[in-house]
Structure formats: structure tokens, C-alpha cells
Amino acid sequence: MDVNIFTDNLNTKVFGRNTVIFESIDSTNTKMIEDLNNGLNLEEGSVYIALKQTNGKGSFGNSWQSDNNLGLWCSILAYSPYKKNPISLLPGIALTKLLKEKYNIDAHSKWPNDVLIKTKKISGTLIQVIPTNDKKQNACIIGVGINLYHKKEDFDYNIKEKATSLIIETNKKVEIENFYKDFIKYFEDIYYNEYSLIDLFKTHTKMIGKKIKAKNNNIETNVFVKDITKEGYLIVETYNEEKKIIKEETWISRASLDIDTNY
């Protein structure tokens, strides 16, 4: 596929101006990290897109089903100091806004970086940070997977009832290059403008004020989501105590927004 269809008429100033297309690759995150470690001078805003990933990666060591041409599988590069923090929230917010505003889909952001439609996941993000040759700067590789063309039977059995796609929700097939241009434009607008990511997350999530299932040290419990801190940690109430989620590995939200929210 010609990379020009992803860059022609792209309405951004930085992000996506350098876009690289791979017909098939193990992982765009892995490839970008390898290239940076090998001394390739990639400009901020560079994007790697794979039409297929043979070893797509999700959060917490999970795999991401992307060994097909049914979605947008890409990695976006940003360098510290980041214009927006916590940067892990940004891609989910950008996609949620895009789906709401251009497709009239009631999407919502799930902490820390998933996007749901009702209770089904349409997108996830994997953030990886590595040092650069400049000891004062880190490279943040933002891996994003967005399900575009999946029909229900295209999902593996274990996620069939938990996943959705753009075509399932709209019954319309959008050209991948057009969707990409819209997404990267939303991403850049949020990154460089004055928006507070925390305020945007609160606007585009349904978690605040809801009871969810959470997991702590492999023990699942019901918690009440009270707020999100300026650093991007969730504050939840359980056992009449407040707990701050310091690490994603410590408390994992379980997408249980349909559970009775009365505590």
C-alpha cells in the first residue's frame, strides 16, 4: 500500500508527517524501539503503521489480535518533556472524541487507555518509554490498536463477547487512510492545545461515580470510583478507605460498567 494515501491532505503540523507503512511486521512498537536503539533519527510525531501484526502487544503482557488487515495498528512517537501528561490517557481520549463527533457513537474512555462502546472494547493502547542518546530525553512509543472492519465472527472465541469494531457499530466501511487522518489530527489537536487531559478524561469516561470490579494482587473486589488525580491515578473507595492507584499493575479496572452503581 502506498504511504502517500496516508499522508496526502493530512491536516497536521507534526504528527503523521513522517509515516512509515509495513505490509506485515511483528509489532510496530517493537520495530520503532529497535530503530531508535539502532540510532535511527526519528522525528517527533513519526508514525509506524502495520497492515498486519504477527505479534501485536497489549497492556500487562497480553497479546493484541492484529494479525489481519481489519484494523488500524500503529505506533506514534513523542519525546519528553511531553506537552501533555499523563500521556497514556491521550490516545483513548482522542479516539473517544472522534467516535462521538464524527460517527455519533456513544464511546467512552476506560482507565487507563481503552475505549469502550457500551461494555465492548474497540481500542487499546500500549505505552513504552525508552531512553534516547540524549540522556535528558526519553522516547515514548504509543502503540494503538483500533478495530475497524471486524465482524463478530472475526474475533477469537475468548473475546467475541467483549470486543466490537467500527463497522459493527455503524454498518459502514470507512477507508483506513481517512480514519487514520482523522485520528491523528484529533491526537495532535489535544497534544498541542490547552486542554487538560484530566478534565477531558472526566468528560469522556463513565467510570467516575460508578461501581466497578477491580483486581488487587489477583483478588477481585467491587470498588467505587471517586475521582482521578492530576497525575492520572484513580481514587477508589473500598472498605471505607480511599486508595490511590499508584501503578496500573496494582489495580486493574474490569469493565463492569453495567453493574449496579448503588454502593
Side-chain angles (χ1 to χ4, degrees), residues 51-81:
L51 303 184
K52 296 182 181 180
Q53 289 188 126
T54 57
N55 188 27
K57 300 178 184 299
S59 299
F60 313 117
N62 297 321
S63 62
W64 181 267
Q65 186 182 334
S66 52
D67 55 343
N68 53 58
N69 59 356
L70 300 176
L72 175 61
W73 325 122
C74 66
S75 295
I76 306 166
L77 177 63
Y79 289 110
S80 64

PDB file of all heavy atoms in Angstrom, residues 51-81:
ATOM      1  N   LEU A  51      -0.179  -3.057   8.306  1.00  0.00           N
ATOM      2  CA  LEU A  51      -1.440  -3.604   7.817  1.00  0.00           C
ATOM      3  C   LEU A  51      -1.754  -4.912   8.537  1.00  0.00           C
ATOM      4  O   LEU A  51      -2.921  -5.261   8.718  1.00  0.00           O
ATOM      5  CB  LEU A  51      -1.370  -3.808   6.307  1.00  0.00           C
ATOM      6  CG  LEU A  51      -1.044  -2.538   5.500  1.00  0.00           C
ATOM      7  CD1 LEU A  51      -1.106  -2.836   4.009  1.00  0.00           C
ATOM      8  CD2 LEU A  51      -1.990  -1.397   5.854  1.00  0.00           C
ATOM      9  N   LYS A  52      -0.695  -5.616   8.939  1.00  0.00           N
ATOM     10  CA  LYS A  52      -0.850  -6.823   9.761  1.00  0.00           C
ATOM     11  C   LYS A  52       0.282  -6.850  10.768  1.00  0.00           C
ATOM     12  O   LYS A  52       1.408  -6.468  10.468  1.00  0.00           O
ATOM     13  CB  LYS A  52      -0.801  -8.097   8.913  1.00  0.00           C
ATOM     14  CG  LYS A  52      -1.930  -8.251   7.912  1.00  0.00           C
ATOM     15  CD  LYS A  52      -1.793  -9.569   7.165  1.00  0.00           C
ATOM     16  CE  LYS A  52      -2.904  -9.733   6.118  1.00  0.00           C
ATOM     17  NZ  LYS A  52      -2.783 -11.014   5.389  1.00  0.00           N
ATOM     18  N   GLN A  53      -0.021  -7.318  11.987  1.00  0.00           N
ATOM     19  CA  GLN A  53       0.997  -7.548  13.006  1.00  0.00           C
ATOM     20  C   GLN A  53       0.974  -9.024  13.400  1.00  0.00           C
ATOM     21  O   GLN A  53      -0.086  -9.543  13.756  1.00  0.00           O
ATOM     22  CB  GLN A  53       0.737  -6.700  14.260  1.00  0.00           C
ATOM     23  CG  GLN A  53       0.972  -5.217  14.083  1.00  0.00           C
ATOM     24  CD  GLN A  53       0.895  -4.463  15.400  1.00  0.00           C
ATOM     25  OE1 GLN A  53       1.812  -3.748  15.762  1.00  0.00           O
ATOM     26  NE2 GLN A  53      -0.215  -4.609  16.105  1.00  0.00           N
ATOM     27  N   THR A  54       2.114  -9.658  13.342  1.00  0.00           N
ATOM     28  CA  THR A  54       2.168 -11.081  13.689  1.00  0.00           C
ATOM     29  C   THR A  54       2.361 -11.309  15.186  1.00  0.00           C
ATOM     30  O   THR A  54       2.159 -12.416  15.676  1.00  0.00           O
ATOM     31  CB  THR A  54       3.311 -11.769  12.925  1.00  0.00           C
ATOM     32  OG1 THR A  54       4.556 -11.105  13.217  1.00  0.00           O
ATOM     33  CG2 THR A  54       3.067 -11.716  11.418  1.00  0.00           C
ATOM     34  N   ASN A  55       2.743 -10.249  15.894  1.00  0.00           N
ATOM     35  CA  ASN A  55       2.946 -10.388  17.341  1.00  0.00           C
ATOM     36  C   ASN A  55       2.532  -9.098  18.035  1.00  0.00           C
ATOM     37  O   ASN A  55       3.301  -8.485  18.759  1.00  0.00           O
ATOM     38  CB  ASN A  55       4.413 -10.719  17.645  1.00  0.00           C
ATOM     39  CG  ASN A  55       4.630 -11.074  19.108  1.00  0.00           C
ATOM     40  OD1 ASN A  55       3.719 -11.552  19.789  1.00  0.00           O
ATOM     41  ND2 ASN A  55       5.830 -10.816  19.611  1.00  0.00           N
ATOM     42  N   GLY A  56       1.276  -8.700  17.794  1.00  0.00           N
ATOM     43  CA  GLY A  56       0.773  -7.473  18.396  1.00  0.00           C
ATOM     44  C   GLY A  56       0.750  -7.567  19.912  1.00  0.00           C
ATOM     45  O   GLY A  56       0.454  -8.622  20.473  1.00  0.00           O
ATOM     46  N   LYS A  57       1.060  -6.448  20.566  1.00  0.00           N
ATOM     47  CA  LYS A  57       1.186  -6.448  22.022  1.00  0.00           C
ATOM     48  C   LYS A  57       0.113  -5.566  22.655  1.00  0.00           C
ATOM     49  O   LYS A  57      -0.175  -4.480  22.165  1.00  0.00           O
ATOM     50  CB  LYS A  57       2.571  -5.928  22.435  1.00  0.00           C
ATOM     51  CG  LYS A  57       3.726  -6.766  21.876  1.00  0.00           C
ATOM     52  CD  LYS A  57       5.063  -6.177  22.279  1.00  0.00           C
ATOM     53  CE  LYS A  57       6.219  -6.935  21.647  1.00  0.00           C
ATOM     54  NZ  LYS A  57       6.254  -8.338  22.049  1.00  0.00           N
ATOM     55  N   GLY A  58      -0.445  -6.057  23.762  1.00  0.00           N
ATOM     56  CA  GLY A  58      -1.375  -5.268  24.551  1.00  0.00           C
ATOM     57  C   GLY A  58      -0.772  -4.951  25.899  1.00  0.00           C
ATOM     58  O   GLY A  58       0.378  -5.274  26.182  1.00  0.00           O
ATOM     59  N   SER A  59      -1.560  -4.320  26.752  1.00  0.00           N
ATOM     60  CA  SER A  59      -1.081  -3.969  28.088  1.00  0.00           C
ATOM     61  C   SER A  59      -0.944  -5.211  28.965  1.00  0.00           C
ATOM     62  O   SER A  59      -1.573  -6.242  28.728  1.00  0.00           O
ATOM     63  CB  SER A  59      -2.051  -2.980  28.747  1.00  0.00           C
ATOM     64  OG  SER A  59      -2.146  -1.797  28.004  1.00  0.00           O
ATOM     65  N   PHE A  60      -0.092  -5.104  29.989  1.00  0.00           N
ATOM     66  CA  PHE A  60       0.096  -6.140  31.009  1.00  0.00           C
ATOM     67  C   PHE A  60       0.565  -7.462  30.418  1.00  0.00           C
ATOM     68  O   PHE A  60       0.256  -8.530  30.925  1.00  0.00           O
ATOM     69  CB  PHE A  60      -1.203  -6.358  31.798  1.00  0.00           C
ATOM     70  CG  PHE A  60      -1.849  -5.086  32.243  1.00  0.00           C
ATOM     71  CD1 PHE A  60      -3.103  -4.726  31.779  1.00  0.00           C
ATOM     72  CD2 PHE A  60      -1.192  -4.233  33.103  1.00  0.00           C
ATOM     73  CE1 PHE A  60      -3.704  -3.545  32.175  1.00  0.00           C
ATOM     74  CE2 PHE A  60      -1.783  -3.040  33.507  1.00  0.00           C
ATOM     75  CZ  PHE A  60      -3.025  -2.700  33.045  1.00  0.00           C
ATOM     76  N   GLY A  61       1.325  -7.400  29.286  1.00  0.00           N
ATOM     77  CA  GLY A  61       1.865  -8.606  28.677  1.00  0.00           C
ATOM     78  C   GLY A  61       0.881  -9.388  27.846  1.00  0.00           C
ATOM     79  O   GLY A  61       1.185 -10.480  27.364  1.00  0.00           O
ATOM     80  N   ASN A  62      -0.325  -8.858  27.655  1.00  0.00           N
ATOM     81  CA  ASN A  62      -1.311  -9.541  26.827  1.00  0.00           C
ATOM     82  C   ASN A  62      -0.986  -9.362  25.350  1.00  0.00           C
ATOM     83  O   ASN A  62      -0.303  -8.418  24.956  1.00  0.00           O
ATOM     84  CB  ASN A  62      -2.716  -8.986  27.105  1.00  0.00           C
ATOM     85  CG  ASN A  62      -3.161  -9.232  28.529  1.00  0.00           C
ATOM     86  OD1 ASN A  62      -2.890 -10.286  29.088  1.00  0.00           O
ATOM     87  ND2 ASN A  62      -3.828  -8.252  29.121  1.00  0.00           N
ATOM     88  N   SER A  63      -1.497 -10.267  24.521  1.00  0.00           N
ATOM     89  CA  SER A  63      -1.359 -10.104  23.083  1.00  0.00           C
ATOM     90  C   SER A  63      -2.518  -9.257  22.569  1.00  0.00           C
ATOM     91  O   SER A  63      -3.544  -9.116  23.224  1.00  0.00           O
ATOM     92  CB  SER A  63      -1.346 -11.467  22.376  1.00  0.00           C
ATOM     93  OG  SER A  63      -2.569 -12.147  22.593  1.00  0.00           O
ATOM     94  N   TRP A  64      -2.336  -8.664  21.379  1.00  0.00           N
ATOM     95  CA  TRP A  64      -3.407  -7.896  20.744  1.00  0.00           C
ATOM     96  C   TRP A  64      -3.684  -8.540  19.392  1.00  0.00           C
ATOM     97  O   TRP A  64      -2.778  -8.706  18.580  1.00  0.00           O
ATOM     98  CB  TRP A  64      -2.998  -6.433  20.577  1.00  0.00           C
ATOM     99  CG  TRP A  64      -4.085  -5.610  19.936  1.00  0.00           C
ATOM    100  CD1 TRP A  64      -4.217  -5.351  18.615  1.00  0.00           C
ATOM    101  CD2 TRP A  64      -5.205  -5.011  20.582  1.00  0.00           C
ATOM    102  NE1 TRP A  64      -5.353  -4.599  18.390  1.00  0.00           N
ATOM    103  CE2 TRP A  64      -5.976  -4.370  19.579  1.00  0.00           C
ATOM    104  CE3 TRP A  64      -5.635  -4.925  21.912  1.00  0.00           C
ATOM    105  CZ2 TRP A  64      -7.145  -3.666  19.866  1.00  0.00           C
ATOM    106  CZ3 TRP A  64      -6.796  -4.231  22.184  1.00  0.00           C
ATOM    107  CH2 TRP A  64      -7.537  -3.608  21.172  1.00  0.00           C
ATOM    108  N   GLN A  65      -4.917  -8.924  19.174  1.00  0.00           N
ATOM    109  CA  GLN A  65      -5.291  -9.640  17.955  1.00  0.00           C
ATOM    110  C   GLN A  65      -5.257  -8.678  16.768  1.00  0.00           C
ATOM    111  O   GLN A  65      -6.202  -7.952  16.508  1.00  0.00           O
ATOM    112  CB  GLN A  65      -6.694 -10.238  18.095  1.00  0.00           C
ATOM    113  CG  GLN A  65      -7.109 -11.123  16.937  1.00  0.00           C
ATOM    114  CD  GLN A  65      -8.525 -11.645  17.097  1.00  0.00           C
ATOM    115  OE1 GLN A  65      -9.032 -11.767  18.205  1.00  0.00           O
ATOM    116  NE2 GLN A  65      -9.157 -11.960  15.984  1.00  0.00           N
ATOM    117  N   SER A  66      -4.124  -8.674  16.047  1.00  0.00           N
ATOM    118  CA  SER A  66      -3.949  -7.745  14.934  1.00  0.00           C
ATOM    119  C   SER A  66      -3.235  -8.403  13.753  1.00  0.00           C
ATOM    120  O   SER A  66      -2.643  -7.719  12.924  1.00  0.00           O
ATOM    121  CB  SER A  66      -3.168  -6.515  15.399  1.00  0.00           C
ATOM    122  OG  SER A  66      -1.963  -6.888  16.040  1.00  0.00           O
ATOM    123  N   ASP A  67      -3.295  -9.740  13.688  1.00  0.00           N
ATOM    124  CA  ASP A  67      -2.666 -10.464  12.584  1.00  0.00           C
ATOM    125  C   ASP A  67      -3.619 -10.501  11.381  1.00  0.00           C
ATOM    126  O   ASP A  67      -3.873 -11.554  10.798  1.00  0.00           O
ATOM    127  CB  ASP A  67      -2.266 -11.871  13.025  1.00  0.00           C
ATOM    128  CG  ASP A  67      -3.431 -12.669  13.599  1.00  0.00           C
ATOM    129  OD1 ASP A  67      -4.459 -12.030  13.945  1.00  0.00           O
ATOM    130  OD2 ASP A  67      -3.310 -13.890  13.696  1.00  0.00           O
ATOM    131  N   ASN A  68      -4.153  -9.344  11.037  1.00  0.00           N
ATOM    132  CA  ASN A  68      -5.136  -9.231   9.971  1.00  0.00           C
ATOM    133  C   ASN A  68      -5.139  -7.785   9.479  1.00  0.00           C
ATOM    134  O   ASN A  68      -4.447  -6.933  10.026  1.00  0.00           O
ATOM    135  CB  ASN A  68      -6.527  -9.608  10.508  1.00  0.00           C
ATOM    136  CG  ASN A  68      -6.895  -8.828  11.755  1.00  0.00           C
ATOM    137  OD1 ASN A  68      -6.934  -7.601  11.758  1.00  0.00           O
ATOM    138  ND2 ASN A  68      -7.141  -9.538  12.868  1.00  0.00           N
ATOM    139  N   ASN A  69      -5.898  -7.535   8.434  1.00  0.00           N
ATOM    140  CA  ASN A  69      -5.992  -6.161   7.908  1.00  0.00           C
ATOM    141  C   ASN A  69      -7.341  -5.540   8.258  1.00  0.00           C
ATOM    142  O   ASN A  69      -7.922  -4.795   7.474  1.00  0.00           O
ATOM    143  CB  ASN A  69      -5.784  -6.157   6.394  1.00  0.00           C
ATOM    144  CG  ASN A  69      -6.814  -7.023   5.673  1.00  0.00           C
ATOM    145  OD1 ASN A  69      -7.634  -7.693   6.306  1.00  0.00           O
ATOM    146  ND2 ASN A  69      -6.769  -7.009   4.350  1.00  0.00           N
ATOM    147  N   LEU A  70      -7.827  -5.848   9.451  1.00  0.00           N
ATOM    148  CA  LEU A  70      -9.165  -5.436   9.862  1.00  0.00           C
ATOM    149  C   LEU A  70      -9.169  -4.215  10.771  1.00  0.00           C
ATOM    150  O   LEU A  70     -10.237  -3.805  11.233  1.00  0.00           O
ATOM    151  CB  LEU A  70      -9.874  -6.596  10.572  1.00  0.00           C
ATOM    152  CG  LEU A  70     -10.059  -7.867   9.733  1.00  0.00           C
ATOM    153  CD1 LEU A  70     -10.695  -8.971  10.582  1.00  0.00           C
ATOM    154  CD2 LEU A  70     -10.900  -7.582   8.499  1.00  0.00           C
ATOM    155  N   GLY A  71      -8.000  -3.645  11.024  1.00  0.00           N
ATOM    156  CA  GLY A  71      -7.957  -2.506  11.934  1.00  0.00           C
ATOM    157  C   GLY A  71      -6.828  -1.561  11.619  1.00  0.00           C
ATOM    158  O   GLY A  71      -6.049  -1.765  10.683  1.00  0.00           O
ATOM    159  N   LEU A  72      -6.731  -0.513  12.425  1.00  0.00           N
ATOM    160  CA  LEU A  72      -5.614   0.416  12.364  1.00  0.00           C
ATOM    161  C   LEU A  72      -4.649   0.040  13.474  1.00  0.00           C
ATOM    162  O   LEU A  72      -4.965   0.170  14.651  1.00  0.00           O
ATOM    163  CB  LEU A  72      -6.108   1.860  12.543  1.00  0.00           C
ATOM    164  CG  LEU A  72      -5.032   2.940  12.629  1.00  0.00           C
ATOM    165  CD1 LEU A  72      -4.185   2.987  11.359  1.00  0.00           C
ATOM    166  CD2 LEU A  72      -5.661   4.311  12.914  1.00  0.00           C
ATOM    167  N   TRP A  73      -3.462  -0.438  13.083  1.00  0.00           N
ATOM    168  CA  TRP A  73      -2.445  -0.853  14.042  1.00  0.00           C
ATOM    169  C   TRP A  73      -1.255   0.088  13.856  1.00  0.00           C
ATOM    170  O   TRP A  73      -0.604   0.066  12.812  1.00  0.00           O
ATOM    171  CB  TRP A  73      -2.018  -2.305  13.817  1.00  0.00           C
ATOM    172  CG  TRP A  73      -3.108  -3.239  13.354  1.00  0.00           C
ATOM    173  CD1 TRP A  73      -3.117  -3.993  12.221  1.00  0.00           C
ATOM    174  CD2 TRP A  73      -4.340  -3.549  14.028  1.00  0.00           C
ATOM    175  NE1 TRP A  73      -4.268  -4.732  12.131  1.00  0.00           N
ATOM    176  CE2 TRP A  73      -5.044  -4.475  13.228  1.00  0.00           C
ATOM    177  CE3 TRP A  73      -4.929  -3.116  15.220  1.00  0.00           C
ATOM    178  CZ2 TRP A  73      -6.299  -4.980  13.580  1.00  0.00           C
ATOM    179  CZ3 TRP A  73      -6.174  -3.616  15.572  1.00  0.00           C
ATOM    180  CH2 TRP A  73      -6.828  -4.538  14.767  1.00  0.00           C
ATOM    181  N   CYS A  74      -0.946   0.898  14.844  1.00  0.00           N
ATOM    182  CA  CYS A  74       0.094   1.901  14.629  1.00  0.00           C
ATOM    183  C   CYS A  74       0.815   2.257  15.919  1.00  0.00           C
ATOM    184  O   CYS A  74       0.328   1.976  17.026  1.00  0.00           O
ATOM    185  CB  CYS A  74      -0.497   3.161  14.005  1.00  0.00           C
ATOM    186  SG  CYS A  74      -1.651   4.085  15.057  1.00  0.00           S
ATOM    187  N   SER A  75       1.980   2.874  15.753  1.00  0.00           N
ATOM    188  CA  SER A  75       2.753   3.410  16.876  1.00  0.00           C
ATOM    189  C   SER A  75       3.101   4.856  16.581  1.00  0.00           C
ATOM    190  O   SER A  75       3.505   5.198  15.472  1.00  0.00           O
ATOM    191  CB  SER A  75       4.035   2.601  17.093  1.00  0.00           C
ATOM    192  OG  SER A  75       3.738   1.281  17.491  1.00  0.00           O
ATOM    193  N   ILE A  76       2.953   5.700  17.605  1.00  0.00           N
ATOM    194  CA  ILE A  76       3.161   7.138  17.487  1.00  0.00           C
ATOM    195  C   ILE A  76       4.306   7.521  18.429  1.00  0.00           C
ATOM    196  O   ILE A  76       4.363   7.060  19.568  1.00  0.00           O
ATOM    197  CB  ILE A  76       1.884   7.901  17.886  1.00  0.00           C
ATOM    198  CG1 ILE A  76       0.680   7.407  17.071  1.00  0.00           C
ATOM    199  CG2 ILE A  76       2.071   9.401  17.729  1.00  0.00           C
ATOM    200  CD1 ILE A  76      -0.666   7.866  17.624  1.00  0.00           C
ATOM    201  N   LEU A  77       5.199   8.385  17.945  1.00  0.00           N
ATOM    202  CA  LEU A  77       6.388   8.746  18.722  1.00  0.00           C
ATOM    203  C   LEU A  77       6.276  10.154  19.295  1.00  0.00           C
ATOM    204  O   LEU A  77       5.961  11.108  18.581  1.00  0.00           O
ATOM    205  CB  LEU A  77       7.629   8.667  17.825  1.00  0.00           C
ATOM    206  CG  LEU A  77       8.962   9.076  18.456  1.00  0.00           C
ATOM    207  CD1 LEU A  77       9.325   8.152  19.620  1.00  0.00           C
ATOM    208  CD2 LEU A  77      10.077   9.072  17.401  1.00  0.00           C
ATOM    209  N   ALA A  78       6.550  10.280  20.594  1.00  0.00           N
ATOM    210  CA  ALA A  78       6.656  11.585  21.248  1.00  0.00           C
ATOM    211  C   ALA A  78       7.908  11.576  22.118  1.00  0.00           C
ATOM    212  O   ALA A  78       8.309  10.536  22.644  1.00  0.00           O
ATOM    213  CB  ALA A  78       5.422  11.876  22.097  1.00  0.00           C
ATOM    214  N   TYR A  79       8.521  12.728  22.246  1.00  0.00           N
ATOM    215  CA  TYR A  79       9.716  12.860  23.078  1.00  0.00           C
ATOM    216  C   TYR A  79       9.399  13.702  24.314  1.00  0.00           C
ATOM    217  O   TYR A  79       8.611  14.648  24.262  1.00  0.00           O
ATOM    218  CB  TYR A  79      10.852  13.533  22.301  1.00  0.00           C
ATOM    219  CG  TYR A  79      11.464  12.665  21.223  1.00  0.00           C
ATOM    220  CD1 TYR A  79      11.267  12.956  19.882  1.00  0.00           C
ATOM    221  CD2 TYR A  79      12.246  11.554  21.556  1.00  0.00           C
ATOM    222  CE1 TYR A  79      11.838  12.166  18.885  1.00  0.00           C
ATOM    223  CE2 TYR A  79      12.811  10.754  20.578  1.00  0.00           C
ATOM    224  CZ  TYR A  79      12.603  11.057  19.243  1.00  0.00           C
ATOM    225  OH  TYR A  79      13.166  10.267  18.272  1.00  0.00           O
ATOM    226  N   SER A  80      10.059  13.344  25.422  1.00  0.00           N
ATOM    227  CA  SER A  80       9.930  14.152  26.631  1.00  0.00           C
ATOM    228  C   SER A  80      10.753  15.445  26.469  1.00  0.00           C
ATOM    229  O   SER A  80      11.726  15.470  25.699  1.00  0.00           O
ATOM    230  CB  SER A  80      10.410  13.359  27.848  1.00  0.00           C
ATOM    231  OG  SER A  80      11.803  13.067  27.726  1.00  0.00           O
ATOM    232  N   PRO A  81      10.392  16.529  27.160  1.00  0.00           N
ATOM    233  CA  PRO A  81       9.230  16.644  28.043  1.00  0.00           C
ATOM    234  C   PRO A  81       7.944  16.720  27.234  1.00  0.00           C
ATOM    235  O   PRO A  81       7.853  17.469  26.263  1.00  0.00           O
ATOM    236  CB  PRO A  81       9.489  17.966  28.778  1.00  0.00           C
ATOM    237  CG  PRO A  81      10.335  18.755  27.832  1.00  0.00           C
ATOM    238  CD  PRO A  81      11.188  17.769  27.114  1.00  0.00           C
TER     239      PRO A  81
END
